[in-house]
């Protein structure tokens, strides 16, 4: 697979479809784990070439401009991905993508914390650059489905405006869970480890950047039995999406916000019924 050398002459937005095309072609004749390993080896080779780092650095990205910093960030995340419970580069079974995210959110947050602040994180070009130039093999591995040989769609690399771009979504997942000392709240991470719950709350309600609202939501959800959380969360998301169009939720006091979330949970348990044919967000891709 010779995708990466040609990528240097493309814009970030055009790189993702080209990379997916290369992955699809390679996976037709090679084992998925070999495809990921080959891509990762090529990334590592080029990251050891400071001239390549300078040549491929996107002008819209103003952090991680030193080669040694980029190499360090990649190494910290890969070390965790290679542990037996995650098993990179072997494709994981269908439905375990949330476990991968839960395992990698802490090392990715720790690795990027010295370089990226909230203001930087609003720059979609940064995340597209990281997905395509630093973590392309990890994105491919995260969204591969072993049983169907399915590969990630383009948005996982270059959806610059929302959380479908994998490193962007993972960083914000960590940011929302961060304590004052910048460690991550384990219970929060565990509660949002299911992809369908996280996507529904952070993307579809528009609440993703409001740490106080999200934490209040998670505190209520954590009180529910694990087996009921997805249903309750979907009901709460449905109601919250409507409420945010009519109520200034961000202006509520802490007590009022807690009461609102408790009321949403009760409404979800009593009244919410999924539409016929609806399903939870696919844990691997959509």
């Amino acid at each position: 697979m010779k995708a990466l050398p040609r990528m240097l002459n493309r814009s970030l937005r055009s790189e993702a479809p080209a990379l997916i095309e290369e992955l699809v072609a390679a996976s037709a004749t090679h084992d998925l784990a070999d495809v990921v390993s080959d891509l990762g080896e090529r990334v590592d080779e080029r990251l050891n070439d400071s001239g390549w780092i300078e040549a491929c650095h996107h002008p819209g990205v103003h952090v991680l401009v030193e080669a040694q910093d980029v190499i360090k960030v990649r190494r910290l995340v890969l070390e965790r991905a290679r542990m037996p419970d995650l098993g990179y580069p072997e494709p994981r079974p269908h439905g375990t993508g949330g476990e991968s995210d839960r395992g990698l959110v802490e090392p990715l947050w720790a690795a990027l914390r010295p370089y990226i602040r909230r203001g930087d994180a609003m720059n979609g070009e940064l995340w597209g650059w990281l997905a395509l130039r630093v973590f392309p093999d990890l994105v491919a591995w995260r969204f591969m489905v072993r049983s169907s040989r399915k590969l990630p769609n383009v948005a996982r690399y270059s959806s610059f405006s929302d959380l479908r771009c994998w490193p962007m979504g993972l960083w914000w997942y960590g940011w929302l869970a961060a304590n004052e000392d910048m460690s991550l709240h384990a219970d929060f991470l565990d509660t949002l480890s299911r992809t369908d719950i996280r996507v529904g709350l952070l993307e579809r309600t528009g609440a993703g950047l409001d740490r106080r609202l999200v934490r209040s939501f998670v505190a209520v959800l954590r009180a529910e039995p694990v087996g009921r959380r997805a249903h309750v969360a979907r009901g709460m998301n449905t109601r919250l999406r409507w409420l945010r169009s009519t109520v200034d939720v961000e202006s509520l006091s802490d007590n009022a916000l807690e009461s609102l979330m408790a009321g949403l949970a009760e409404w979800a348990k009593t009244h919410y019924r999924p539409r016929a044919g609806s399903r939870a967000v696919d844990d691997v891709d959509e």
Side-chain angles (χ1 to χ4, degrees), residues 207 210-220 236 240 243-244 247-265:
D210 188 331
R211 183 183 274 167
R212 189 176 70 110
L213 190 156
V214 171
R215 289 194 170 191
S216 181
F217 183 105
V218 169
V220 170
M236 291 176 69
L240 181 59
L243 274 175
R244 283 173 60 82
V247 177
D248 184 6
V249 177
E250 287 79 2
S251 68
L252 297 176
S253 67
D254 290 346
N255 289 338
L257 185 58
E258 290 174 10
S259 296
L260 174 64
M261 292 301 164
L264 291 179

Side-chain angles (χ1 to χ4, degrees), residues 94-161:
H94 176 81
T96 61
E99 295 174 18
S100 301
D101 290 343
R102 175 65 181 88
L104 292 178
V105 61
E106 292 180 274
L108 183 132
W109 170 258
L112 292 177
R113 193 175 65 210
Y115 310 102
I116 297 177
R117 299 293 182 266
R118 182 178 176 181
D120 302 314
M122 304 297 288
N123 177 8
E125 301 285 353
L126 165 64
W127 301 112
W129 181 81
L130 282 168
L132 287 160
R133 305 275 172 82
V134 183
F135 297 129
D137 53 325
L138 276 167
V139 178
W141 168 76
R142 161 60 177 87
F143 292 100
M144 282 179 169
V145 181
R146 182 167 61 194
S147 58
S148 65
R149 301 184 67 82
K150 187 178 181 181
L151 292 165
N153 64 30
V154 170
R156 302 302 181 182
Y157 287 98
S158 60
S159 183
F160 294 168
S161 61

Side-chain angles (χ1 to χ4, degrees), residues 53 83 154 201 253 277:
I53 288 281
M83 289 184 179
V154 170
L201 175 61
S253 67

